[in-house]
Structures are given as C-alpha cells and as structure tokens.
Amino acid sequence: MRNSIEFEVSGPYALFTDPLTKLGGEKLSYPIPTYQALKGIIESIYWKPTLLYYIDEVRIMNPIRMESKGVRPLDYSGGNTLANYTYLRDVCYRVKAHFEFNLNRPDMAFDRNENKHHNILKRSLKAGGRRDIFLGTRECQAYVEPCEFEAGKGFYDHYGDIHFGTMVHGLNYPDETGRNQLEVRLWQPVMKDGVICFIRPEECTQVRVISEMLPKRFDETNVESAIELDAQLDREVNL
C-alpha cells in the first residue's frame, strides 16, 4: 500500500514500562513492546500532525531476555538514591505500520498529500530516522532500517501462542480522539508464532481517563507542508 511501511528496529537494551509508573521507583520492562512505544519509534522516523500512525503487527525476532541494573535516577526531592531497573536485553523487532490522515485536524487539510508523505517516510527510514530512536526510554538507543517483515528466521517462528495478560496498549491524545482529555488504553496481547497483531486504538474496550488536556494548534504558520519538505530534501540530495 502507498501509505504502509515495514522496518526493523534493534538495540542492546529496551525498557517498556507502564506510563503511569514512570515517575520513580523500581522499573520492570514489559516482555514485549507496547503499541505506544512502536508508534513513538515510527514518529521519530517521520512525523507530521497531519498523520496518524497505526501499528499493524510486530514480529519478535530474538528470545525475550531480561537484565537488571542498579541505576541512580533523578531524585526530585534531593538526596542520593539507588534503584533497580530490569531491561530487555538484545532486542530486535520487525514492524508493519501504516498512516492515515488525522481527520480531527481540519487545520492540517492543506497538507494531505499521501504520495509526498509516503516518499518522505521511506527516505527518512533509509536515513535512520529524522530524530534519535529509543526503545521505551532515552537510555535505550536503537537503530532502524527497512526490511521485509516475513523474511529471515525468528526465535518464536513455530512457538505457538503466548499470552501476556493485561498491559498498556497506548495513550489517547485529544487531537487523535476529538475529546479534550488524555486517556490510557489497556488490552490483552497474544503472540502467535512470534507475531502480535495489534487492534486499532478505537477497538480497545478498556479506556481510563488520566487528565483534562487540550490539543495543540497547527496550521501553515508553524508547520512545513509535505510538498515543501519533499522539495527541500531533493535540494539537499542534489547539493
């Protein structure tokens, strides 16, 4: 499809935690990446408020392994603290995703050019992303590159089903739902032969309100259109 993409993301460590427990204390990674974490990765490759990314599938290529480390997190009340963080070790994921235009953003209607956005997304992926790539948290740097989702051998290719219980699917922001509030979505993922098929955010039945929030305004004055950005990238290549 003209709005879809496949990529591989890998790194030595990952830390996918419940966003409601990020303020402090011991941290334990989920065994698999959340929908929200993978969405954040593709948004680091290329993002515009015109677009909404949907993660379709993730393939777990390496065995799920954990490693604990003693760290000194920032203590907002002062003093010197030590905490244990449990990371995923040596991770590699293959991701299928696509984008759709954000119809809750009528202020970005001028930028709805599917072909231009797709071209920029593919070019940004080949370059390793327009921003730094992280696996759940900033200390877990990662790398992205194009791939074929089904190619190669994965550790869980013929493993059967693995259930992970209830975990966070992602966050609902006001400009993605049309509601002026921040919400968290929960679901029960199942991995089948190494592949997790994600449901769309609007299909999640367990949604909790976190706080009131208003969408940020974007328009031609503070956003460069895809046509302008694509032309700029062409000029940079020809220099």
Side-chain angles (χ1 to χ4, degrees), residues 147-168:
C147 74
E148 291 184 26
F149 186 82
E150 290 86 3
K153 184 178 180 181
F155 183 81
Y156 297 98
D157 282 354
H158 305 288
Y159 205 86
D161 293 359
I162 298 178
H163 295 251
F164 294 97
T166 301
M167 59 180 284
V168 168

Side-chain angles (χ1 to χ4, degrees), residues 66-193:
M66 298 286 196
E67 179 177 321
S68 293
K69 292 182 178 182
V71 298
R72 295 189 184 280
L74 182 63
D75 189 342
Y76 294 100
S77 60
N80 194 7
T81 59
L82 179 64
N84 280 319
Y85 287 7
T86 302
Y87 298 86
L88 289 169
R89 179 70 195 276
D90 188 22
V91 301
C92 180
Y93 307 117
R94 293 193 174 181
V95 182
K96 274 186 183 178
H98 73 279
F99 67 80
E100 299 176 10
F101 291 129
N102 187 349
L103 301 182
N104 291 308
R105 281 280 183 199
D107 47 352
M108 295 301 298
F110 75 95
D111 193 39
R112 291 174 187 166
N113 186 320
E114 184 179 82
N115 188 48
K116 292 290 185 185
H117 283 298
H118 194 218
N119 286 339
I120 297 171
L121 175 60
K122 289 190 294 183
R123 294 170 68 165
S124 300
L125 175 59
K126 287 181 181 176
R130 294 176 61 82
R131 292 183 293 167
D132 291 339
I133 307 295
F134 301 105
L135 288 162
T137 184
R138 290 192 68 84
E139 69 260 31
C140 299
Q141 191 165 13
Y143 308 94
V144 293
E145 59 182 353
C147 74
E148 291 184 26
F149 186 82
E150 290 86 3
K153 184 178 180 181
F155 183 81
Y156 297 98
D157 282 354
H158 305 288
Y159 205 86
D161 293 359
I162 298 178
H163 295 251
F164 294 97
T166 301
M167 59 180 284
V168 168
H169 182 276
L171 299 172
N172 286 335
Y173 292 96
D175 64 343
E176 298 175 346
T177 62
R179 300 185 291 273
N180 291 334
Q181 56 193 24
L182 177 65
E183 303 165 341
V184 61
R185 305 184 304 270
L186 306 174
W187 76 314
Q188 290 86 37
V190 179
M191 182 168 73
K192 298 179 183 295
D193 294 331

Side-chain angles (χ1 to χ4, degrees), residues 32-48:
I32 55 173
T34 63
Y35 179 100
Q36 191 69 31
L38 296 173
K39 181 167 172 277
I41 289 170
I42 194 170
E43 287 176 345
S44 293
I45 296 171
Y46 172 62
W47 178 81
K48 295 289 287 294

